[in-house]
Structure formats: C-alpha cells, structure tokens
Amino acid sequence: MICTDLIKAIESIAARYEAQQVGIVSDAAVVLDAVTSRYPTIRIAVSEEDKSLETVQQIWDFLFAHRITRRGLLICIGGGVLTDMGGFAAATYKRGIDYVNVPTTLLAMIDASSGGKTGINYGGLKNSIGCFAPPVETLICPDWLKSLPANQWLSGFGEMLKTGLVSESSLWYHLLRYDLEKMDSEALKPLIAQCVAAKKRIVEADPKEEGLRKVLNFGHTFGHALEEISIQKSDVSSPPLLHGYAVVYGMIAELYLSVVKLGCPKEPLQQLTQVMLHYYGKPQCKCSDREALVALMQQDKKNERTAQINCTLIQNIGSPLINQVITPEEAHEALEYLFSL
Ligand SMILES: NC(=O)c1ccc[n+]([C@@H]2O[C@H](COP(=O)([O-])OP(=O)(O)OC[C@H]3O[C@@H](n4cnc5c(N)ncnc54)[C@H](O)[C@@H]3O)[C@@H](O)[C@H]2O)c1
C-alpha cells in the first residue's frame, strides 16, 4: 500500500507482534532512525554481487542471535536486492516467519517488493534459488526516491514501462508522457499506484506463476541474459547493467520478435526505442556476446524444457502472450536488431 505516514504504518504492523520478536534488516544506504532505533537492526551493504547465500546466512544469524521465534516479524527496508534476500531469509528461517517490505528504490516499489518472489543469485545464475512467500504487507513511500540516483530511477522506470506494455495502453501512454528529466516523485505517485495495482491484479490471479503471471516476464528472457553476462564480464570500465536497463534492452529484443512473429504493430517498438536512445543509451556493457547470451537464455529458469527458449511476447499493448517458444536463430536475429540500434 502507498503510505503517507511510513513510520506510523510500520509501527501499527509491528504492534501486532511482541516487541522483542521484531527485527529489521536494512539496506546500509538508507536511514530510518525512528524505526531502526526501536528494534534490533542489521544493516547490510547491498549490491547484486551480495545477493548470495552468505548474506542470507548473516540475516539468519541475526535472527537467531535475537531469539526471534516462529511468531516473529522481519521488516526489510531497502531496494530489490535487500527485499528479495530479506524475504528469502524470513521465508526459510524456522520454516517461515512473517515479513514486511519497505521498498526504497523505484524498482522495488513497483515490482520487487510485492508478489512474493524471494531469492538469491546462485551458480552464476540470477535468482536461481528462492521461493514464493508473500510479505504480510508492502509499505510504499515515494519520498525515498528523493535520494535515489538517476540511473536507479531509470532502472525502476524500465519495469514500469514493462507493466504498461503488458497491462493497458492508457498506462503505457501516461508513462510515455511522464517527464523523466525532472524525476519528480510527487508526479510519479499516481503512475506508481497504477503499476502496483496492475501487478497486484495479475499476482492475485496467479500467485505461483503457473500461467497469467508469466506476462510480467516480458523483456526478461533477453533481459536476464544481458544482465547476467554483464555481471560476469564487469570490470572497472564496464559496470554491470542495472536490472531495469537490462529489461528495457530485453523488451526491445522481445518487441522485435513480437512484431516479426505475432504481427504486433511497430508503434510500441518505435516508442520504446526512442525512450531507450534518449534516456538509457545503447547497451554499453560487455554484453554483446551473442553465443553466450543465447546459451544463457537456454538455461533460463522460466524454460519448461531443457534448452528451449521461452518468452512472453505481445500481440499489441496490453495483449501479452505467454509461453512463446523461440529458436536460437530467432534469438540471434533479435540480438542483431538490438545491437544495430
Ligand atoms: N522479487 C521480484 O519480484 C523482483 C522483481 C524485479 C526485480 N527483482 C530484483 O530486484 C533487484 C534490483 O533491485 P533494485 O533495482 O532496487 O537494486 P538494489 O537493491 O541493488 O538498489 C540499488 C542501489 O540503490 C541503493 N539504495 C536503495 N534505496 C536507496 C535510496 N532511497 N536512496 C539512495 N540509494 C538507495 C542500494 O543500496 C543500491 O546500492 C534485482 O536483484 C532483481 O532481481 C526482484
């Protein structure tokens, strides 16, 4: 839910638990002293590389050290890396305790912190270990966005664009009209609310991603491969791609396939390409190794058969089609298109 008074909202949920049964795991980049001074807190420096079993162990150790029982509550304050890991730690600690998400990045607000997907990266694969465990509540306060760097705004906005493309054309056109230069969190609030509501509708209809929820994976088959390879090949001169950037590039490839395979009108591809070139730039990372990208897509956990590449494509804005199998040749063609822009 979108809150006007975050502290009051957290306190009213925490009040349902014994005070000594409430713990907090917080992203080290954010401060919420009014709450963290009241409950035991572990602060974690967060990056995609830290989204690991070792960090989850730190959270388990913290919960054990504070003798949190199965009736306890973990409050997870941070971006998507933190809420994914905090949720996974809570879901597995003593077979599962309650947790609340307080997302502090745009991406976590509109996507990562709701819907119950939790997990870590493992074996070089993103989010390859995890479970479905919905938070008791997700408390969204767009004021956090005031301290968020521009590239993180863009990363979150990438997932908002995806929500628009798979859910409804009015949301898509509102998003295209939003002035990203200004990064005005107040003006973004109604769009955040619409994206959250769209995701909620989809997740409630299919909480375990057996069908409909796969529409939210639009852009993610190519996006995850680009993100993973950019992590593997990153160095000082070439940082890894942020998740939402990878999703934007992934959507370009998947919109291209939507046009070629399903006859989707070219307009959304042209519009997204303009947004990409204006705000995100071309993929700059060392992620253009086509063979490696296709091999990664063949290992994607969304595939139902080994080595088969499975995508969500769209027939038009708001009309997604799940379980679209694409051949390695088609994947290469879509990558050629993306890297030719
Ligand atoms: N569970 C899901 O359904 C789901 C959906 C989408 C993405 N994800 C996951 O989310 C992760 C990405 O999340 P993210 O984009 O939030 O990245 P992130 O969690 O890495 O946060 C980005 C950076 O911003 C910092 N930060 C957090 N809040 C801040 C604030 N208010 N001001 C300034 N800095 C702040 C963080 O410390 C970090 O350095 C990925 O691991 C992805 O797999 C999960």
Side-chain angles (χ1 to χ4, degrees):
M1 75 183 186
I2 307 227
C3 345
T4 40
D5 188 338
L6 178 62
I7 292 166
K8 210 166 156 191
I10 294 177
E11 280 173 354
S12 100
I13 293 175
R16 297 183 213 151
Y17 301 78
E18 280 180 45
Q20 61 273 39
Q21 288 301 316
V22 178
I24 299 179
V25 55
S26 170
D27 190 320
V30 298
V31 177
L32 194 61
D33 285 343
V35 177
T36 51
S37 60
R38 292 193 50 193
Y39 304 102
T41 300
I42 177 172
R43 294 174 69 80
I44 293 181
V46 167
S47 72
E48 196 61 46
E49 295 79 55
D50 300 315
K51 195 174 173 185
S52 64
L53 195 54
E54 289 73 26
T55 314
V56 169
Q57 269 171 336
Q58 282 180 40
I59 306 172
W60 286 331
D61 289 342
F62 161 80
L63 294 169
F64 278 114
H66 290 278
R67 300 180 184 198
I68 304 289
T69 69
R70 287 176 78 175
R71 294 180 182 277
L73 173 73
L74 182 65
I75 301 170
C76 307
I77 308 175
V81 170
L82 189 288
T83 56
D84 273 14
M85 280 193 300
F88 182 62
T92 45
Y93 176 75
K94 299 194 176 176
R95 297 211 176 90
I97 61 168
D98 286 353
Y99 75 99
V100 169
N101 278 337
V102 180
T104 62
T105 63
L106 181 54
L107 188 129
M109 286 176 199
I110 58 107
D111 198 3
S113 68
S114 64
K117 280 189 184 176
T118 73
I120 54 167
N121 303 332
Y122 190 79
L125 293 175
K126 270 203 49 92
N127 302 329
S128 50
I129 300 287
C131 59
F132 286 99
V136 174
E137 188 60 87
T138 295
L139 303 173
I140 298 172
C141 173
D143 287 348
W144 290 110
L145 301 178
K146 290 175 183 156
S147 60
L148 202 64
N151 61 349
Q152 297 292 347
W153 263 84
L154 285 165
S155 180
F157 200 78
E159 286 281 10
M160 295 181 80
L161 291 166
K162 175 209 73 183
T163 310
L165 280 174
V166 299
S167 62
E168 48 191 310
S169 59
S170 64
L171 175 56
W172 171 248
Y173 286 105
H174 278 127
L175 289 164
L176 289 182
R177 279 197 294 274
Y178 176 77
D179 184 354
L180 256 177
E181 305 285 358
K182 290 195 181 136
M183 301 202 172
D184 176 350
S185 54
E186 206 48 46
L188 197 64
K189 269 186 194 170
L191 294 172
I192 294 176
Q194 282 184 63
C195 287
V196 170
K199 178 165 180 184
K200 189 164 181 269
R201 275 196 304 275
I202 293 166
V203 169
E204 278 176 0
D206 176 22
K208 294 236 165 129
E209 200 170 291
E210 280 150 351
L212 177 70
R213 186 171 176 170
K214 293 181 188 173
V215 303
L216 296 172
N217 293 332
F218 181 58
H220 283 65
T221 299
F222 284 75
H224 272 158
L226 288 159
E227 190 179 4
E228 264 167 41
I229 220 158
S230 79
I231 293 170
Q232 287 168 17
K233 300 204 170 178
S234 66
D235 57 31
V236 187
S237 63
S238 176
L241 274 182
L242 294 181
H243 181 75
Y245 280 64
V247 171
V248 168
Y249 300 135
M251 284 193 292
I252 298 271
E254 292 177 25
L255 274 171
Y256 171 84
L257 289 172
S258 300
V259 172
V260 171
K261 281 174 70 82
L262 302 182
C264 174
K266 286 187 178 153
E267 199 186 23
L269 175 59
Q270 288 160 348
Q271 288 161 332
L272 186 65
T273 301
Q274 272 179 12
V275 173
M276 177 195 99
L277 293 174
H278 190 75
Y279 293 107
Y280 294 82
K282 298 176 187 183
Q284 292 292 336
C285 59
K286 292 182 183 166
C287 57
S288 56
D289 180 342
R290 276 65 154 179
E291 290 301 331
L293 285 166
V294 173
L296 276 170
M297 283 187 247
Q298 287 173 322
Q299 288 178 48
D300 192 300
K301 65 181 178 312
K302 296 188 288 299
N303 296 338
E304 287 170 8
R305 297 204 181 142
T306 314
Q308 190 181 66
I309 304 173
N310 196 313
C311 278
T312 292
L313 300 178
I314 65 169
Q315 292 171 295
N316 205 335
I317 303 163
S319 300
L321 268 190
I322 61 170
N323 294 336
Q324 298 300 296
V325 173
I326 61 162
T327 64
E329 293 71 31
E330 286 168 333
H332 275 279
E333 189 184 319
L335 288 169
E336 284 312 321
Y337 177 78
L338 171 66
F339 291 119
S340 72
L341 290 171

